[in-house]
């Protein structure tokens, strides 16, 4: 893909084993393919055949045509009587079907009828494929899983032929060098949905299971043929349900096909019977997808945040952040941050340049705190007016009033101010101690855009010092352990004694650019299955900046823009980054000393050495703002888009 739009959502799909009834799988796949792009598939027995065709790039209609024309009895050749009598290994050696399958899969991918390995198939199609078989000589009792990682050089046709080796019907596939005798994977893992679960979770996409409705027929004094059929039925029932943790996953779609009036071992199906199976699969998939979409809509209607906010969270888009939307988790650190905010008297500081995801991360941390019973208040200093910054007294009254309102309390801050003794900081402290902290539920207070304070030096020093004191009080006073602070900022305020500043206490979370793997993950969530070269191209322009990457992916998907066109116009005044760039430019024009140093860096043909001509304090501020990066004692522009845009205006 080179920048084209992919409207469909991504999905992994698993096909259960089912003897002669694989046509039903294709019908389900047909419906799924209309709404999802398959990026990974797994199958057992009959399901392995469908999975192989899916991974090879066949469309469902093409696959249906192939199987309509397939004369099963021609390819499932009975062994000669003397071989069957002497070897007694199976009804059919399966060689003709093996050759047919090899030619079909290889020809579609390679252009000629020949074998293709798992790793070559993945490199050609970029679709994960897993096939399940069973080793009769296994001591562990575990299934044999063929995929690009465990069996990269094994051919797909060999794995599928092994997976369909119904004991007694097809001859086992032997690997003497490994001491393996491989038979139908349904013996141990007939529904390989678990093989795909973690991958679907990592890609944050749908996981689809296609299986047959369980059926149970009571047998009494069964004949040989009934024993064989009963054995296959038992294999089909065994493990036919997804594990409970997968079944409860909101992203899981369960397609259950009723084939109770079909025989799993009747391979010579008429055209009408094949078509009937296809339609069974279509109808089952329609029902499952409709149920999934209805649940999705229902959940979306209930998705109002349970976090009390002072303004919409707009860092990733112009709408309020939806926690199930596009998001790249910054593990393993992020999980620790979730735990850190739960500690008594916790202080977390999220530091990052403009639009790096501070507000979104804050929301995730607060969401976790809310689940643990915390009362949540998010206060954005952008909501304060110029009158609120008149002096410290007015600012602290605004601060207390805002927190009170967001907690839904009716206590009058003005009345407390009039009746209380001491200066405004004491009044603020006693207000918290009397009205806000004495409950069983901790209060987690998030302060966003703290940088808005910095121009007001008198207020900044006193307020930040007060927060530091509250944090220190939590070490010795139980009441103040109820307060948890989360502070978001871009720069560090240096006009205050470091020992009195919250910027020297608690836990600092410094957000870095996304790495290549995280960028690829983000692209996948937009349906963009880019290769490493395409990922590198966009990162050469905007690095791993979350907001700039998100804007790029949105533009490509929603506006049908090619990647090449986006890169050519990225730094234009009318380009997609114009608002971001102008916002930075306005800030630079208000601070000429920053603009002068930045211009030296971005117009230089090579990294600039940090020396007496290059003010180190200014460079640090530019680094805080995300405009430059430091490599040892050298300074260079952080992103190519900045190098291209700013020389025209500074």
């Amino acid at each position: 893909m080179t920048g084209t739009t992919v409207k469909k959502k991504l999905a992994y799909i698993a096909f259960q084993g089912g003897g002669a009834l694989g046509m039903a799988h294709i019908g389900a796949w047909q419906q799924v393919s209309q709404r999802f792009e398959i990026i990974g598939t797994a199958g057992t027995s009959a399901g392995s055949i469908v999975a192989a065709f899916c991974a090879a790039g066949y469309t469902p209609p093409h696959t249906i045509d192939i199987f309509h024309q397939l004369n099963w009895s021609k390819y499932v050749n009975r062994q000669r009587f003397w071989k069957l009598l002497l070897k007694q290994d199976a009804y059919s050696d399966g060689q003709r079907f093996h050759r047919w399958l090899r030619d079909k899969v290889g020809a579609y991918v390679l252009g000629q009828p020949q074998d293709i390995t798992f790793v070559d198939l993945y490199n050609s199609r970029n679709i994960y494929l897993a096939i399940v078989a069973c080793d009769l000589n296994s001591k562990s009792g575990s299934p044999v899983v063929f995929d690009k990682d465990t069996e990269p050089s094994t051919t797909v046709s060999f794995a599928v032929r092994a997976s369909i080796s119904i004991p007694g019907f097809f001859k086992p596939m032997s690997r003497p060098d490994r001491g393996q005798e491989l038979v139908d994977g349904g013996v141990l893992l007939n529904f390989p949905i678990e093989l795909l679960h973690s991958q679907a979770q990592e890609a944050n996409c749908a996981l689809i299971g296609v299986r047959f409705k369980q059926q149970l027929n009571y047998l009494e004094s069964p004949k040989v043929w009934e024993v064989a059929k009963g054995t296959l039925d038992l294999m089909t029932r065994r493990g036919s349900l997804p594990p409970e943790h997968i079944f409860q996953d909101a992203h899981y779609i369960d397609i259950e096909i009723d084939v109770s009036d079909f025989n799993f071992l009747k391979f010579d199906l008429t055209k009408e019977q094949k078509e009937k199976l296809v339609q069974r699969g279509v109808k089952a998939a329609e029902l499952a997808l409709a149920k999934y979409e209805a649940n999705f809509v229902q959940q979306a209607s209930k998705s109002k945040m349970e976090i009390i906010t002072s303004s919409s969270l707009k860092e990733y888009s112009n709408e309020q952040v939806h926690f199930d939307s596009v998001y790249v988790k910054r593990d393993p650190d992020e999980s620790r941050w979730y735990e850190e905010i739960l500690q008594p008297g916790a202080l977390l500081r999220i530091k990052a340049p403009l639009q790096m995801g501070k507000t979104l991360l804050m929301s995730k941390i607060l969401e976790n705190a809310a689940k643990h019973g915390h009362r949540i208040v998010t206060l954005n200093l952008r909501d304060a007016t110029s009158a609120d910054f008149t002096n410290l007294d007015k600012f602290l009254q605004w601060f207390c009033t805002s927190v009170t309102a967001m907690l839904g309390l009716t206590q009058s801050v003005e009345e407390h101010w009039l009746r209380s003794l001491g200066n405004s900081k004491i009044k603020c402290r006693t207000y918290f101690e009397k009205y806000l902290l004495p409950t069983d539920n901790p209060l987690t207070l998030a302060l966003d855009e703290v940088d808005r304070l910095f121009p007001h030096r008198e207020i900044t020093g006193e307020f930040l010092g007060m927060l530091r004191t509250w944090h220190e009080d939590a070490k010795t006073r139980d009441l103040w352990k109820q307060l948890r602070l989360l502070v978001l900022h871009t720069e560090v305020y240096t006009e205050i004694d470091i020992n009195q500043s919250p910027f020297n206490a608690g836990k600092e979370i410094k957000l870095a650019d996304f790495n290549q793997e995280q960028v690829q993950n983000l692209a996948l969530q937009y349906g963009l299955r880019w290769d490493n070269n395409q990922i590198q191209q966009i990162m050469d322009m905007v690095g791993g900046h979350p907001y700039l990457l998100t804007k790029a992916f949105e533009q490509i998907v929603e506006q049908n823009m090619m990647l090449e066109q986006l890169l050519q116009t990225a730094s234009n005044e009318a380009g997609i980054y114009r608002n971001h760039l102008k916002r930075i430019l306005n800030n630079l024009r208000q601070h000429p000393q920053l603009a002068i140093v930045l211009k030296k860096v971005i117009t230089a043909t090579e990294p600039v050495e940090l020396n007496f001509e290059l003010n180190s304090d200014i460079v640090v501020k530019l680094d805080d703002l995300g405009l430059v990066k430091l490599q040892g004692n050298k300074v260079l522009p952080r992103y190519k888009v900045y190098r291209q845009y700013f020389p025209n205006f500074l």
Side-chain angles (χ1 to χ4, degrees):
M1 181 172 180
T2 57
T4 57
T5 298
V6 179
K7 296 294 185 183
K8 299 176 184 177
K9 297 178 180 179
L10 304 180
Y12 284 82
I13 187 168
F15 299 99
Q16 181 191 16
L21 308 183
M23 290 292 287
H25 282 333
I26 306 174
W29 169 30
Q30 179 174 266
Q31 288 303 110
V32 168
S33 67
Q34 294 175 13
R35 309 185 196 190
F36 292 92
E37 179 184 358
I38 307 301
I39 60 174
T41 181
T44 299
S45 194
S48 72
I49 303 173
V50 180
F53 272 74
C54 177
Y58 281 91
T59 64
H62 190 180
T63 307
I64 290 171
D65 288 342
I66 291 173
F67 279 84
H68 269 313
Q69 298 168 20
L70 176 65
N71 182 352
W72 187 257
S73 60
K74 176 182 176 181
Y75 292 100
V76 184
N77 55 304
R78 180 172 63 86
Q79 294 199 79
R80 293 180 182 275
F81 178 77
W82 64 270
K83 285 188 176 181
L84 190 60
L85 185 65
L86 291 176
K87 295 187 177 182
Q88 300 181 9
D89 49 11
Y91 172 81
S92 173
D93 61 17
Q95 290 182 4
R96 290 181 185 175
F97 182 75
H98 189 179
R99 288 193 295 270
W100 176 87
L101 183 68
R102 177 200 64 192
D103 293 347
K104 289 297 181 184
V105 175
Y108 202 84
V109 180
L110 302 174
Q112 53 186 335
Q114 67 182 64
D115 264 328
I116 186 168
T117 65
F118 276 86
V119 69
D120 288 340
L121 177 63
Y122 182 78
N123 290 338
S124 300
R125 298 286 308 147
N126 202 27
I127 297 177
Y128 174 80
L129 172 66
I131 302 296
V132 181
C134 169
D135 178 17
L136 293 177
N137 296 328
S138 172
K139 295 180 180 179
S140 67
S142 300
V144 177
V145 177
F146 297 89
D147 67 7
K148 67 180 179 65
D149 299 315
T150 60
E151 300 268 357
S153 59
T154 299
T155 63
V156 173
S157 63
F158 177 91
V160 175
R161 171 61 184 80
S163 185
I164 67 169
S165 297
I166 302 171
F169 191 87
F170 273 128
K171 178 182 177 181
M173 293 295 281
S174 299
R175 293 209 285 191
D177 57 323
R178 305 191 189 189
Q180 291 180 327
E181 292 293 328
L182 302 172
V183 296
D184 197 304
V187 174
L188 291 176
L189 186 62
N190 199 39
F191 187 35
I193 192 71
E194 292 178 79
L195 301 181
L196 304 176
H197 188 222
S198 62
Q199 296 185 61
Q201 284 186 316
E202 184 176 342
N204 193 28
C205 67
L207 175 63
I208 302 170
V210 183
R211 60 187 183 86
F212 296 112
K213 188 174 183 179
Q214 297 183 76
Q215 46 188 330
L216 182 61
N217 297 317
Y218 181 73
L219 298 178
E220 184 175 357
S221 300
K223 303 296 187 290
V224 174
W225 189 252
E226 292 175 322
V227 171
K229 180 179 180 299
T231 301
L232 183 59
D233 286 346
L234 183 62
M235 288 167 52
T236 304
R237 291 197 302 270
R238 185 182 185 276
S240 63
L241 292 174
E244 186 65 21
H245 70 281
I246 294 179
F247 197 78
Q248 296 299 328
D249 190 325
H251 295 290
Y252 176 63
I253 304 173
D254 188 54
I255 300 176
E256 184 183 51
I257 308 172
D258 186 356
V259 290
S260 55
D261 52 336
F262 281 85
N263 188 331
F264 282 89
L265 285 177
K266 189 180 186 305
F267 289 92
D268 287 327
L269 298 169
T270 65
K271 183 176 181 180
E272 290 73 22
Q273 288 174 320
K274 290 179 180 179
E275 185 57 37
K276 189 175 181 181
L277 281 171
V278 170
Q279 290 306 311
R280 292 282 180 89
V282 167
K283 295 298 183 184
E286 286 179 346
L287 181 63
L289 291 170
K291 181 180 178 181
Y292 169 76
E293 290 176 358
N295 288 339
F296 184 83
V297 171
Q298 184 179 18
Q299 291 300 318
S301 68
K302 295 179 180 179
S303 65
K304 289 184 179 180
M305 294 194 302
E306 296 179 358
I307 297 171
I308 305 169
T309 57
S310 63
S311 62
S312 295
L313 306 174
K314 298 181 178 179
E315 189 137 337
Y316 268 58
S317 69
N318 290 327
E319 304 295 331
Q320 185 156 310
V321 175
H322 187 295
F323 292 123
D324 292 327
S325 62
V326 175
Y327 184 68
V328 177
K329 195 173 182 181
R330 299 173 183 265
D331 269 341
D333 294 327
E334 188 164 328
S335 297
R336 292 198 294 269
W337 301 334
Y338 291 171
E339 293 299 319
E340 186 74 27
I341 199 64
L342 303 179
Q343 304 307 309
L347 169 60
L348 271 66
R349 296 173 286 109
I350 304 178
K351 179 178 181 294
L354 177 69
Q355 295 178 309
M356 278 289 288
K358 298 187 295 295
T359 302
L360 189 59
L361 175 59
M362 173 197 72
S363 303
K364 301 293 284 187
I365 293 173
L366 295 181
E367 180 189 32
N368 182 67
K371 290 178 180 178
H372 287 80
H374 288 213
R375 295 170 296 146
I376 306 298
V377 171
T378 303
L379 186 60
N380 194 315
L381 298 193
R382 195 172 48 194
D383 292 340
T385 66
S386 56
D388 296 320
F389 288 113
T390 303
N391 54 53
L392 181 63
D393 189 76
K394 284 187 176 296
F395 177 77
L396 291 182
Q397 285 194 59
W398 170 83
F399 174 63
C400 290
T401 300
S402 299
V403 175
T404 302
M406 291 177 196
L407 288 174
L409 303 177
T410 58
Q411 179 61 41
S412 170
V413 174
E414 183 179 2
E415 182 179 340
H416 174 80
W417 235 254
L418 291 173
R419 293 185 177 183
S420 299
L421 300 176
N423 59 37
S424 55
K425 287 169 62 177
I426 293 175
K427 292 176 180 179
C428 184
R429 165 188 283 275
T430 56
Y431 186 83
F432 266 73
E433 291 178 336
K434 188 173 182 179
Y435 302 112
L436 304 183
L437 297 181
T439 68
D440 293 332
N441 301 97
L443 170 61
T444 296
L445 172 59
L447 300 174
D448 199 356
E449 296 204 39
V450 171
D451 304 73
R452 289 292 300 272
L453 276 176
F454 294 173
H456 310 281
R457 297 179 62 179
E458 176 205 350
I459 298 174
T460 305
E462 296 291 347
F463 181 69
L464 294 180
M466 183 183 72
L467 295 182
R468 172 64 179 262
T469 301
W470 289 0
H471 172 65
E472 296 295 336
D473 283 346
K475 297 176 182 179
T476 57
R477 299 184 60 189
D478 288 342
L479 182 60
W480 284 95
K481 290 178 181 179
Q482 289 289 85
L483 180 65
R484 322 293 164 84
L485 292 171
L486 186 58
V487 178
L488 282 66
H489 61 106
T490 297
E491 300 178 62
V492 173
Y493 188 71
T494 57
E495 304 297 323
I496 183 176
D497 186 336
I498 196 64
N499 295 313
Q500 298 177 9
S501 170
F503 298 135
N504 190 38
K507 175 73 175 180
E508 181 180 75
I509 301 171
K510 192 171 183 178
L511 298 186
D513 279 14
F514 285 158
N515 58 34
Q516 185 166 341
E517 181 180 356
Q518 290 170 320
V519 174
Q520 199 131 29
N521 185 345
L522 184 62
L524 274 174
Q525 295 187 58
Y526 280 93
L528 299 171
R529 296 176 56 244
W530 283 2
D531 57 32
N532 290 338
N533 180 55
Q534 291 166 299
I535 293 295
Q536 191 58 53
Q537 286 184 61
I538 190 65
M539 291 187 72
D540 285 344
M541 178 60 69
V542 298
H545 194 293
Y547 172 78
L548 300 182
L549 289 166
T550 299
K551 288 292 290 183
F553 296 151
E554 285 178 352
Q555 188 78 1
I556 287 170
V557 170
E558 296 173 7
Q559 303 299 323
N560 299 325
M561 180 177 282
M562 302 293 288
L563 174 60
E564 294 77 8
Q565 181 186 356
L566 183 142
L567 295 175
Q568 290 172 2
T569 60
S571 59
N572 291 358
E573 280 194 85
I576 64 170
Y577 299 130
R578 58 187 179 277
N579 292 332
H580 174 83
L581 295 170
K582 287 179 179 178
R583 184 173 175 181
I584 295 173
L585 182 61
N586 289 336
N587 187 34
L588 290 171
R589 285 173 172 169
Q590 293 173 24
H591 301 87
Q593 70 277 21
L594 296 178
I596 292 171
V597 174
L598 179 62
K599 187 172 184 179
K600 287 182 181 179
V601 174
I602 61 177
T603 56
T605 56
E606 57 186 25
V608 179
E609 283 199 35
L610 192 60
N611 53 38
F612 68 93
E613 294 182 356
L614 209 61
N615 188 300
S616 59
D617 290 338
I618 298 298
V619 170
V620 169
K621 284 185 177 292
L622 290 172
D623 181 52
D624 286 341
L625 293 171
L627 299 176
V628 302
K629 56 183 175 182
L630 300 173
Q631 292 183 348
N633 67 333
K634 296 183 182 295
V635 188
L636 60 159
R638 186 170 293 270
Y639 307 126
K640 184 177 180 180
V641 67
Y642 293 167
R643 183 190 289 276
Q644 292 179 347
Y645 178 82
F646 288 118
N648 300 321
F649 301 97
L650 296 180

